Amino acid sequence: MYHLRLPPLPRYSRRWVRGDVASGLTVAAYLIPQVMAYGALAGVAPVAGLWAIAPAIVAYAVLGSSRLLSVGPESTTALMTAAAVAPLAAGDPNRHATLAATLAVGVGVLAIAAGIARLGVIAHLLSRPILVGYLAGVAVIMIVGQLEKVTGVPVDSGSLYGELRSFAGSLHHLHLGTLAVSVASLALLVALHRWTPRLPSPLIVIMIATFAVWVFGLDGHGVRVVGAVEGGLPRLVLPTGSDLVDLAPSALGILFVGFADNMLTARAFGGRDSHRIDANRELFALGTANLGAGAGQGFPVSSSGSRTALAASSGAHTQVYSLVALVAVVLVLAFGRPALAMFPRATLGAIIIFAAVRLIDVAGFRRLASFRRSELALALTAAGGVLVFDILYGVLVAIGVSLLDLLARVARPHDAVLGQVPGLDGMHDVDDYPSALTVPGLFAYRYDSPLFFANAENFRRRALAALDACTDDVDWFVLNMEAIVEVDITALDALEDLRAEVTGRGIAFGLAHVKHDLLDDLTAYGLTAKVQPEMIFPTMRAATAAHRLRSQDRHP
């Protein structure tokens, strides 16, 4: 059983206050209209999402392992919530809200159960190429999703390509004032980030844009603003057991998407700040955050790549920025709702585009290309999968291709005939060292991979082919098992077939570098009794010495 151990509270440096406070205020300015929009998307009252983020933010700040990850309502989980709840709610808004909160509780329960079962190991399926490609794909989705905000062109939401087609077909509705605000905001963001990187550029741009709307009355000239935020506390409704059962499959799907998003985004920004992301802690944190969101009559939450990128670009250092954002949201809900009305949506879109562009790791793509083309192909597959199939299916496609690539490489690994090299200890691949000499009468063979069903036949065939290609007289065949650290029953069958074929030719069969755990498997299978203990050697040096001694006994 996994026991959650909270790390000791880190020492907080005064140098971080400025960045955390500025980032918190900047994220709050984006968080409020975004969460309201996602609430409407999920089919609940917009204000419900705002109140629901309070327990989610606090839960992650305490339990989460990422210093920068922003947890709360997110577009994908909002869409999945609407799809899961709408058929059961049958048009009843109160029932819809209750089911959405119940779904959040279900996600929370499943996530905590997965953490107890230590299922965070599935995060290891998310490799570096998948991470680089995923973030690039998400960045494109983020940019396309802001086209309506930054141009004023009405865009029908749905799929990525549907939005692009809708945008292209409605370009005649371009609003020059909105476009001007967007371009000016984006240009100011780039300039401030380049020349004054220590200043909270998004916050400065937000303040300037809001002031411009107020002074020049831009909202009266077609520039859309956020508008008023409603108040009101949520009422607590306990979920029923039948609802939890009905929503369990949807909760499982949302958990997978949310956890994948959490790990990919947290690892991306964790790598930049050199802190370790604990997958099982992330499950507990995500589960507790969703329980809190459900208790606040919200809907399922996960991480937000855009808000996390925004926090990083604003100079955040710790989760204190999330708590600052929460305090700002609560204050706005309590006292400052009218002031938010003048915030231009065009500037909001420009800030998100600015943050999204920074998610595209061009240097990372170049690094993958210089290392191995298949790694670059995985990154491009992840990016393409996210764009074509949406986030969940895009990640699944990338993981599948990654596993197939691994399987292909492990199923056809390197192998070697070993010989002795003058001046070097041990035995080495004769293809790597032209001066290597095989030991007369001893055929030493190495297969550089664990043995399992996918490469078992390849191993047997290549070992026999290498033996057949040997022109010297052979009386011993010794398999160097240094790289064979794991076997399955199919592999053991192939190993036994190889032993039987070799001994059938009158050649003694031996093993070297057998790990203790592997030796237990060979014994349980019955192979060690057939090989005989005296033909199992700790090293190739021991095997060579034993063969030399046996040859001297035969030919004194």
Side-chain angles (χ1 to χ4, degrees):
M1 180 180 291
Y2 179 77
H3 297 284
L4 179 63
R5 296 179 180 177
L6 294 180
L9 292 176
R11 294 182 179 179
Y12 191 82
S13 173
R14 292 183 179 180
R15 295 176 299 173
W16 299 343
V17 173
R18 184 177 182 180
D20 283 341
V21 171
S23 296
L25 295 176
T26 302
V27 169
Y30 172 56
L31 179 70
I32 294 171
Q34 184 194 51
V35 170
M36 292 174 63
Y38 292 163
L41 187 61
V44 300
V47 72
L50 286 176
W51 286 116
I53 65 173
I57 287 178
V58 173
Y60 189 83
V62 174
L63 297 175
S65 60
S66 171
R67 297 172 186 164
L68 294 179
L69 194 67
S70 178
V71 170
E74 191 270 333
S75 59
T76 304
T77 53
L79 284 170
M80 295 179 73
T81 298
V85 169
L88 299 176
D92 183 348
N94 292 329
R95 174 70 172 156
H96 192 110
T98 300
L99 288 173
T102 301
L103 183 59
V105 172
V107 173
V109 170
L110 289 175
I112 292 175
I116 293 174
R118 306 191 72 176
L119 295 183
V121 67
I122 64 175
H124 297 308
L125 297 176
L126 308 175
S127 63
R128 174 61 58 177
I130 293 179
L131 174 63
V132 172
Y134 166 84
L135 288 178
V138 168
V140 173
I141 292 176
M142 288 166 56
I143 292 171
V144 173
Q146 306 309 309
L147 290 178
E148 182 173 358
K149 289 189 180 76
V150 299
T151 64
V153 175
V155 176
D156 293 330
S157 61
S159 66
L160 175 70
Y161 299 101
E163 291 181 355
L164 288 174
R165 284 195 301 268
S166 177
F167 176 75
S170 304
L171 273 175
H172 57 282
H173 292 296
L174 177 68
H175 189 268
L176 295 179
T178 299
L179 181 63
V181 171
S182 304
V183 172
S185 299
L186 189 57
L188 185 56
L189 279 167
V190 173
L192 288 173
H193 180 74
R194 180 175 180 180
W195 291 311
T196 57
R198 297 196 173 202
L199 293 179
S201 52
L203 180 59
I204 293 174
V205 172
I206 286 173
M207 295 173 63
I208 292 175
T210 304
F211 182 74
V213 169
W214 178 66
V215 170
F216 298 108
L218 297 180
D219 55 325
H221 296 279
V223 176
R224 298 183 61 191
V225 294
V226 170
V229 179
E230 298 178 2
L233 290 171
R235 63 184 177 86
L236 180 62
V237 178
L238 297 177
T240 65
S242 60
D243 287 341
L244 284 171
V245 171
D246 291 339
L247 292 170
S250 298
L252 187 61
I254 290 175
L255 171 59
F256 184 85
V257 173
F259 180 60
D261 199 21
N262 263 42
M263 289 305 301
L264 287 168
T265 306
R267 284 172 55 183
F269 291 93
R272 297 178 187 184
D273 289 272
S274 301
H275 62 272
R276 180 176 175 269
I277 304 301
D278 186 321
N280 289 307
R281 272 187 64 191
E282 288 300 301
L283 281 170
F284 275 104
L286 182 62
T288 308
N290 273 281
L291 287 178
Q297 294 304 290
F299 53 94
V301 299
S302 63
S303 65
S304 168
S306 59
R307 292 197 300 269
T308 304
L310 189 59
S313 65
S314 302
H317 296 280
T318 68
Q319 282 293 329
V320 168
Y321 90 87
S322 293
L323 300 177
V324 171
L326 174 58
V327 171
V329 170
V330 172
L331 290 175
V332 167
L333 286 171
F335 307 108
R337 295 193 303 273
L340 190 63
M342 303 304 292
F343 182 80
R345 293 180 180 269
T347 300
L348 173 64
I351 291 173
I352 300 309
I353 290 175
F354 175 74
V357 170
R358 292 167 58 81
L359 290 180
I360 302 176
D361 188 0
V362 177
F365 279 106
R366 290 175 179 169
R367 179 168 168 250
L368 294 174
S370 64
F371 172 65
R372 185 182 292 152
R373 288 185 179 180
S374 63
E375 301 284 298
L376 176 62
L378 287 176
L380 295 176
T381 299
V386 168
L387 296 177
V388 174
F389 302 109
D390 208 344
I391 293 175
L392 170 60
Y393 297 109
V395 171
L396 289 177
V397 167
I399 290 175
V401 174
S402 179
L403 293 177
L404 287 175
D405 176 68
L406 172 64
L407 190 62
R409 284 188 279 120
V410 175
R412 301 292 184 271
H414 177 266
D415 68 338
V417 175
L418 305 178
Q420 294 177 326
V421 180
L424 288 180
D425 190 26
M427 301 189 74
H428 306 274
D429 188 347
V430 297
D431 291 335
D432 292 339
Y433 296 91
S435 61
L437 299 173
T438 57
V439 177
L442 172 64
F443 184 82
Y445 179 76
R446 189 182 71 212
Y447 193 75
D448 295 334
S449 169
L451 286 181
F452 63 116
F453 65 91
N455 62 12
E457 179 58 26
N458 176 265
F459 157 72
R460 188 193 66 82
R461 179 174 51 81
R462 288 169 66 179
L464 290 175
L467 179 62
D468 291 339
C470 180
T471 58
D472 300 331
D473 291 334
V474 176
D475 51 32
W476 275 29
F477 180 109
V478 176
L479 174 63
N480 183 341
M481 301 187 71
E482 186 173 9
I484 304 176
V485 295
E486 182 62 46
V487 292
D488 63 10
I489 192 70
T490 306
L492 289 173
D493 286 342
L495 184 56
E496 167 56 20
D497 290 344
L498 173 64
R499 185 204 65 81
E501 176 70 21
V502 169
T503 55
R505 299 183 186 187
I507 301 172
F509 184 86
L511 305 173
H513 285 291
V514 184
K515 306 293 190 297
H516 286 292
D517 290 343
L518 182 58
L519 187 60
D520 291 340
D521 291 335
L522 299 181
T523 301
Y525 181 84
L527 191 61
T528 53
K530 295 180 180 179
V531 173
Q532 298 178 352
E534 63 270 18
M535 289 297 291
I536 299 178
F537 306 99
T539 64
M540 285 303 303
R541 181 197 291 270
T544 303
H547 179 266
R548 186 178 295 113
L549 183 62
R550 184 73 59 87
S551 298
Q552 290 174 355
D553 291 341
R554 289 180 179 178
H555 307 285

